[in-house]
Amino acid sequence: MGWKAAQKLIHHWVMIIRGKDKGETGVVKRVVRSQNRVIFEGKNLVKKHIKQGQGHEGGIFTVEAPLHVSNVQVIDPVIGKPCKVGIKYLEDGSKVRVARGIGTSGSIIPRPEILKMRTTPRPTVAGPKDTPMDVVLEKTYDPTTGKGMPDL
């Protein structure tokens, strides 16, 4: 299944499996990695009492509270039910997420655009702890003669 076809099938990426909004699907708005929590768009709403202070008005506000990641599951793009996520390597060597578990389709779960973005870019210049390329590419073992194997 291609990316575009799966994107049309999935309007909501994850389902809440525990709590007051159990069984509802939604889109993850933000991920709080330090606390292992996710914030859904318009789900798990709580009333927050905020005291008036300098520069802001007080009152009772409705805000989205974070949910623990153990209380949500990714949705299988074919069946539309919650499933576990496994990792599989395709023939071309690319790594993809697949639906796994009993009664799942085993199809590829496309990654949302927000997961493809990196907060810090990968370093392009070799640092002081990086191994130089000439050492990495040096041939230290010859399979025909067996030279380079340690004497055990």
Side-chain angles (χ1 to χ4, degrees):
M1 174 180 278
W3 165 255
K4 293 285 182 193
Q7 199 172 21
K8 287 177 186 171
L9 285 173
I10 299 180
H11 298 294
H12 303 288
W13 291 98
V14 284
M15 182 182 278
I16 301 170
I17 57 171
R18 283 188 205 94
K20 65 181 180 182
D21 293 326
K22 179 181 177 176
E24 292 186 27
T25 58
V27 179
V28 174
K29 188 174 165 182
R30 196 163 69 99
V31 177
V32 186
R33 286 186 186 265
S34 60
Q35 299 175 352
N36 286 336
R37 295 185 178 270
V38 290
I39 297 174
F40 274 84
E41 241 174 62
K43 306 284 185 234
N44 200 29
L45 299 172
V46 295
K47 301 274 187 190
K48 193 141 185 146
H49 297 255
I50 297 174
K51 193 174 180 181
Q52 184 176 357
Q54 260 186 342
H56 64 84
E57 209 169 296
I60 301 170
F61 297 99
T62 305
V63 293
E64 298 154 341
L67 278 164
H68 195 266
V69 293
S70 66
N71 299 332
V72 297
Q73 271 191 325
V74 176
I75 295 175
D76 189 328
V78 176
I79 300 171
K81 290 185 177 178
C83 66
K84 293 178 182 177
V85 178
I87 293 172
K88 192 176 188 181
Y89 291 92
L90 298 176
E91 289 83 26
D92 63 346
S94 60
K95 188 165 85 169
V96 292
R97 302 186 314 165
V98 293
R100 69 177 188 85
I102 300 167
T104 58
S105 63
S107 61
I108 294 172
I109 301 171
R111 289 180 72 82
E113 290 298 318
I114 197 159
L115 290 178
K116 292 180 182 177
M117 293 185 285
R118 289 180 64 92
T119 52
T120 54
R122 286 199 172 114
T124 53
V125 181
K129 294 187 176 182
D130 290 331
T131 308
M133 280 307 289
D134 57 331
V135 176
V136 171
L137 298 173
E138 182 186 341
K139 194 173 182 181
T140 57
Y141 172 68
D142 186 17
T144 55
T145 62
K147 197 169 189 178
M149 283 294 289
D151 296 325
L152 299 176

